[in-house]
Amino acid sequence: MAKAINIKTKIISLTLCVIILCGVFSSAAFALSINSGLNALRGQWSRSEGPEAGGMSLEYSYYEPASDAPCPLVVLLGGAGEGTPSGNELKANKFANWSSSEYQSRVPGGGMYILILKAPEPVYFDTCPLAPMFAAIKDFAEKHNVDKRRIAVGGWCIGASGAARLATNHPSFFSGLILFSPRTIITESEAKTIKNMKVWILACNGDTYSPYLTYGYPSWQNIKENTANKSEVRCTTCSTAPRAALLLNHETWRLAEFDFSPAVLGDFTNLKTVDGSENNISVPSMISFITAYKTGEAPPETETETQTETESETQSATETTAEKPASRAQSAVSAAKTPADKPEKTAQESGSRVQKPLMLIIAAGVTAFIAAAVVVIEKRKKNL
C-alpha cells in the first residue's frame, strides 16, 4: 500500500512539473515583446514560395499569429535592393516589429498575418508581372486562416507602384491600400476603382525621389474626391524625413514600422495626418486602421472593439487600441524606456489561451509516458 502511494505521489509531482514547463514555454514562444529586438522578432517568421504564374513564382517571408480565429492579412512590397538575397525582404526593413505582442494587440480581433514579398531582382515591383504577385498572395490566403474581408496591400518607393497595381486590378480581393513615398500616381479612374477600400498615403514634401507634390498630392486629391467614405482614407505628410542611401527625406515608412510611436516622431518635421474631409487625426495608428473592418462590415459583437479611432476627430485625440488618450509628455517618457508602447496583457493572454489545448495535450502525453516508466521501474525494484 505504501509503495502504491509513493508511485502516485511521484506521478503527480512529475505531472505538475511538466504542466508548469509547458506553460513557461508556451508564454515564451507566443508572447514575444518588441523589446526582444529585431533579430528575435524576425526569428518568429517563416519563408515560403507562391505558385508559378506567368512563368514565374515569388518567394516571401511571413508571420502567422497565435490565434485560431480568422485574422487579417497585410501584404508588403519593398523598394529597390530589398529583394536579394533570399530573406532580405525581411531584414532590409523593420516591419518585423508588427509581429510583436504589442503591435499584434492593436489588431481588432487580436492578431494579423504579415507577408513580405521578395522582388525578383533585377526586376522590381513597379514592372514585375502582376500574375505571380497576386498568385502568391491568393495562395497564402487560401492556405491560412485569413479573414478574407481584411486583406490589405502596401509598399514603399517603387514597391508602392506594385501595391497600387495589385489593388486597382483586384479591387474585390483587397480591402486596403498603403502607399509609402509612392513614385506613382493614382489616377481618377483608378481612384474610382478602389473607392470602397481603406487607403493611406505617406509622403514627404522634401523627398528628392518621390516628392509629395509630384506623386502623393495628385493621388490624394483623386482618392479623397472619389472615396465612398471619407473617414476611411488618410494622408500623412511631413517636411523632412529620414534619408535612404542617397535619397533625402524618403523613408516615410519608418513611421509605420513603429506605428507612429513617439520614439520616431522626432525624425519627422511638420508631421500631419488627415482624413478625406481634411480632419486632423491626432493619434494615428496604421495597424488598427488598416486591419479594422470597413464601415458596416464588423460583426455586431465586436463592433465596439473595432471602433478604435473616431474618424471625425479634429484636434482632440481619441482612444485607440494603439494608444489610450494621454499627454504627449507621458508618451515621450514611455518611449524613452522602450521603442514602443507598453505590452498589453491581452495579447499575451490571448496567445496563451490559444496554445493551452496543445500544451495540455503534450503534457498529458509526457505524463502518461512518465507514469508508465515509474510503474515499470517500481516493478523491477520489487522483483529485485
Side-chain angles (χ1 to χ4, degrees), residues 263-321:
V264 295
L265 295 182
D267 295 333
F268 301 83
T269 60
N270 297 323
L271 193 63
K272 183 179 182 181
T273 299
V274 297
D275 65 11
S277 297
E278 295 298 325
N279 292 320
N280 184 55
I281 308 298
S282 300
V283 187
S285 167
M286 178 168 289
I287 291 174
S288 61
F289 172 82
I290 205 66
T291 59
Y293 289 98
K294 290 184 289 187
T295 301
E297 282 192 344
E301 64 271 17
T302 61
E303 187 170 355
T304 301
E305 296 174 5
T306 59
Q307 299 303 316
T308 55
E309 297 176 24
T310 301
E311 303 297 340
S312 60
E313 68 183 316
T314 52
Q315 296 298 321
S316 61
T318 179
E319 272 196 30
T320 72
T321 53

